C-alpha cells in the first residue's frame, strides 16, 4: 500500500520553453530551489542529481524527457539513512501552455505507507514552485528561502 | 467516508496589508479573479458574494474574520454548478450539490521575508463532484493573485479554458 501522490499546479506568466529551461538548469535551479542545483543531461536512463554546496542530497534517473512538455525522474534522498532506505519515488513535471501562461503540474508519487519523505516534499514543493514562478515573472526568486525553510521541517527543500 | 479537504499554499513576496487588501477589496479581487468582485462588509454573519457584473456567481456568510491574519466564510458555489452543467456533467450533480454549503478559509503566516497564504476549502457534500472543479480553479486564482502582488498584473484565463489539476 502506497501513500497518495502529492500534486501541485502552478501557473506562470511565461512560456513552457522558458519554464523548462529554468527548471532543468544547473545554474538557475539554486536560485529558486533552496540552493540546490539539479544536474543531468536529461536523456532517458541518465543520472539526475541534486547537490547543495557540492554534496549530493538526492539522486535518481531520467525516466522520461520531452522538452517543454514532460519530465519524469526517479528520486532517492541520499543525505539521511532513514530517507535513503525508503527507496525511489517518482517526480513528474508536465508543462502545458494556457493562453500566454504555462500550467506547470508537479506529481510526486510512489511513497511507502510509512514515508518520512512525503510530508517533507509536500511542504517543500509549494515553496520551490512559488519561487520559480517569482523568478520567471520578476527576474528575482523569493528571498532567503533557505533560511526561511529552516523554520520548517522542509530544510532540504525537496532536494 | 473521508471528508475531502482542498489545501493550497502559495508563497508571496508582499506585505500582510497588501495581501489582505487584495483578498477583501473588490477593486483588487477583480484584477486577479477573472473580473469578479468579492463583496462583503466582513462582519461575522454578513453575506459574502462573488459578483460578475450583477450576477451572483457564488455566495455565503462570514464565519471568521481577523484582519491580516485569517478569515473564513461559507460558500455555495453557484458558478461551479453552472460550469459543470456546461461541461455536460449529469443533472444529478446539480441536485446533489444544490443548497449545500462548503467552507472557504484563508490564513496568512510569515515565512522569512515572504508570506505563506494557505487556502482551505472543505465541508463538501458526500461524493461531491464539485471538489474536482474547485481543485482546478483555486490554483489558477492563487497564482494570479501572487502575480498581481509581485509583478502588478494578474493572470488571464483564456475563454473556455479548462485549467489545472489542483493540489493535495
Amino acid at each position: 500500500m502506497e501513500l497518495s501522490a502529492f500534486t501541485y499546479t502552478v501557473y506562470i506568466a511565461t512560456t513552457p520553453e522558458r519554464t523548462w529551461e529554468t527548471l532543468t538548469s544547473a545554474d538557475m535551479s539554486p536560485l529558486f530551489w533552496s540552493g540546490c542545483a539539479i544536474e543531468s543531461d536529461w536523456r532517458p536512463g541518465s543520472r539526475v542529481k541534486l547537490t547543495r554546496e557540492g554534496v549530493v542530497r538526492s539522486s535518481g534517473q531520467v525516466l522520461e524527457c520531452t522538452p517543454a512538455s514532460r519530465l519524469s525522474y526517479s528520486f532517492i534522498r541520499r543525505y539521511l539513512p532513514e530517507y535513503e532506505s525508503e527507496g525511489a519515488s517518482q517526480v513528474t513535471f508536465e508543462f502545458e501552455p494556457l493562453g500566454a501562461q504555462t500550467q506547470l503540474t508537479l506529481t510526486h508519487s510512489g511513497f511507502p505507507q510509512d514515508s518520512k519523505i512525503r510530508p517533507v516534499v509536500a511542504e517543500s514543493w509549494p515553496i520551490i514552485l512559488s519561487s520559480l514562478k517569482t523568478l520567471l515573472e520578476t527576474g528575482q526568486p523569493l528571498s532567503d528561502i533557505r533560511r526561511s525553510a529552516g523554520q520548517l521541517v522542509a530544510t532540504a527543500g525537496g532536494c | 467516508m473521508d471528508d475531502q479537504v482542498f489545501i493550497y499554499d502559495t508563497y508571496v513576496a508582499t506585505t500582510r496589508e497588501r495581501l489582505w487588501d487584495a483578498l477583501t477589496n473588490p477593486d483588487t479581487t477583480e484584477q486577479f479573479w477573472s473580473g469578479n468582485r468579492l463583496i462583503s462588509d466582513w462582519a461575522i454573519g454578513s453575506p459574502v458574494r462573488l459578483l460578475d457584473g450583477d450576477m451572483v456567481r457564488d455566495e455565503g456568510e462570514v464565519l471568521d474574520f481577523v484582519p491580516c491574519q485569517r478569515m473564513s466564510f461559507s460558500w455555495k458555489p453557484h458558478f461551479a454548478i453552472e460550469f459543470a452543467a456546461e461541461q455536460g456533467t449529469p443533472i444529478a450533480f446539480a441536485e446533489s450539490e444544490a443548497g449545500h454549503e462548503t467552507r472557504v478559509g484563508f490564513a496568512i503566516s510569515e515565512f522569512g521575508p515572504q508570506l505563506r497564504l494557505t487556502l482551505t476549502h472543505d465541508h463538501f457534500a458526500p461524493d461531491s463532484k464539485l471538489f474536482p472543479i474547485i481543485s482546478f480553479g483555486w490554483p489558477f486564482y492563487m497564482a494570479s493573485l501572487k502575480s498581481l502582488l509581485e509583478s502588478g498584473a494578474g493572470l488571464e484565463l483564456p475563454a473556455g479554458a479548462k485549467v489545472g489539476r489542483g493540489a493535495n
Side-chain angles (χ1 to χ4, degrees):
Chain A
M1 174 104 180
E2 288 186 352
L3 288 184
S4 61
F6 176 79
T7 305
Y8 189 89
T9 299
V10 66
Y11 296 85
I12 307 174
T14 189
T15 59
E17 288 73 18
R18 243 190 105 220
T19 306
W20 174 275
E21 283 162 17
T22 304
L23 185 62
T24 57
S25 156
D27 295 333
M28 299 291 278
S29 49
L31 297 174
F32 64 87
W33 205 318
S34 317
C36 286
I38 190 163
E39 293 171 65
S40 179
D41 64 13
W42 302 115
R43 285 198 283 251
S46 287
R47 188 159 192 244
V48 179
K49 55 180 186 170
L50 282 146
T51 59
R52 180 186 281 158
E53 289 156 1
V55 177
V56 177
R57 311 278 295 204
S58 309
S59 63
Q61 265 191 331
V62 179
L63 302 172
E64 216 185 320
C65 179
T66 309
S69 173
R70 188 178 166 89
L71 175 66
S72 183
Y73 59 88
S74 59
F75 175 87
I76 303 176
R77 288 189 93 185
R78 303 286 184 191
Y79 82 104
L80 281 180
E82 64 179 25
Y83 292 138
E84 187 156 7
S85 65
E86 272 191 28
S89 52
Q90 290 81 44
V91 175
T92 301
F93 291 102
E94 292 163 277
F95 305 70
E96 291 174 53
L98 180 78
Q101 292 117 184
T102 297
Q103 173 184 300
L104 175 63
T105 300
L106 159 87
T107 306
H108 197 154
S109 62
F111 302 104
Q113 189 63 37
D114 57 351
S115 175
K116 293 187 170 61
I117 294 177
R118 192 192 186 281
V120 176
V121 300
E123 190 85 51
S124 308
W125 282 122
I127 303 167
I128 296 162
L129 297 177
S130 288
S131 190
L132 170 65
K133 172 176 164 67
T134 302
L135 175 63
L136 285 164
E137 292 184 359
T138 71
Q140 295 290 324
L142 294 177
S143 54
D144 244 348
I145 197 166
R146 201 175 146 196
R147 202 177 68 201
S148 310
Q151 299 166 350
L152 305 171
V153 190
T155 45
C159 117
Chain B
M1 168 171 323
D2 290 341
D3 289 335
Q4 298 185 96
V5 179
F6 180 81
I7 298 174
Y8 189 86
D9 282 337
T10 311
Y11 293 82
V12 189
T14 189
T15 63
R16 277 182 187 267
E17 290 70 24
R18 283 190 71 217
L19 181 51
W20 195 255
D21 180 68
L23 290 167
T24 56
N25 179 347
D27 293 338
T28 321
T29 63
E30 71 180 3
Q31 293 177 58
F32 73 85
W33 206 331
S34 289
N36 295 310
R37 296 172 65 82
L38 187 66
I39 310 280
S40 180
D41 66 11
W42 300 111
I44 306 291
S46 283
V48 181
R49 293 191 180 90
L50 188 68
L51 297 181
D52 179 5
D54 294 334
M55 187 180 73
V56 179
R57 294 178 86 102
D58 310 297
E59 64 183 331
E61 270 182 24
V62 180
L63 301 171
D64 181 31
F65 194 82
V66 181
C68 297
Q69 291 184 44
R70 61 172 203 269
M71 66 164 143
S72 69
F73 43 87
S74 61
W75 202 235
K76 283 188 268 190
H78 305 309
F79 167 69
I81 290 170
E82 287 161 20
F83 178 79
E86 284 168 18
Q87 302 281 313
T89 306
I91 296 293
F93 169 81
E95 288 172 354
S96 73
E97 309 282 344
H100 189 87
E101 288 192 347
T102 64
R103 185 180 64 180
V104 173
F106 292 101
I108 299 173
S109 55
E110 278 167 25
F111 185 75
Q114 287 95 205
L115 297 171
R116 169 169 54 188
L117 174 65
T118 302
L119 161 79
T120 306
H121 195 162
D122 57 6
H123 290 192
F124 289 91
D127 293 323
S128 173
K129 294 181 178 61
L130 185 60
F131 187 81
I133 295 173
I134 65 94
S135 305
F136 296 164
W138 281 125
F140 183 81
Y141 292 118
M142 294 296 95
S144 183
L145 168 62
K146 175 175 160 70
S147 294
L148 176 65
L149 289 167
E150 294 182 352
S151 65
L155 302 180
E156 282 193 30
L157 194 56
K162 284 178 77 171
V163 294
R165 224 168 303 157
N168 55 46

